[in-house]
Amino acid sequence: MAKVSVVARLKVKADKADAFPAAWDALLAFIDDNEPGTEHYVLHRSTADPTLFFVTEVYENQAALDAHITSDAFAAFGASLGDFIEDADMQFLTPVNAAKGLL
């Protein structure tokens, strides 16, 4: 099966932006401990706009992505983001080329 990836753009409320990265701690620990099919999962913050974040994700296959998005940990995390998010966009992708490590 082919690898799958996700890129999410998250616009966070200005008064919540500095607290936003810490809100990810429990989910990232869960992924580290419980999702062997998750190969890459990184939260990024824009250097030009401190309220703009991106998440890049790469999964071993569609089943690994499905396991992630249907987990209780992800559901609880998603429910907790309501106070932070102003706008969001998520793209589901297929990696096609890479310089190091992902393909």
Side-chain angles (χ1 to χ4, degrees), residues 7-74:
V7 175
R9 183 192 58 77
L10 306 166
K11 180 73 169 175
V12 176
K13 297 173 185 172
D15 63 332
K16 303 284 187 175
D18 288 337
F20 189 63
W24 290 75
D25 290 350
L27 179 67
L28 295 176
F30 176 85
I31 291 167
D32 273 343
D33 294 341
N34 298 286
E35 294 187 6
T38 301
E39 298 180 356
H40 170 93
Y41 203 102
V42 179
L43 175 66
H44 310 266
R45 189 174 197 174
S46 171
T47 57
D49 179 353
T51 67
L52 188 58
F53 292 80
F54 295 86
V55 180
T56 57
E57 310 167 31
V58 177
Y59 298 89
E60 182 177 283
N61 53 38
Q62 184 64 47
L65 171 59
D66 292 344
H68 170 70
I69 62 176
T70 60
S71 72
D72 290 341
F74 184 73

Side-chain angles (χ1 to χ4, degrees), residues 2-5 92-97:
K3 293 183 188 289
V4 295
S5 58
F92 295 89
L93 311 162
T94 301
V96 294
N97 208 348

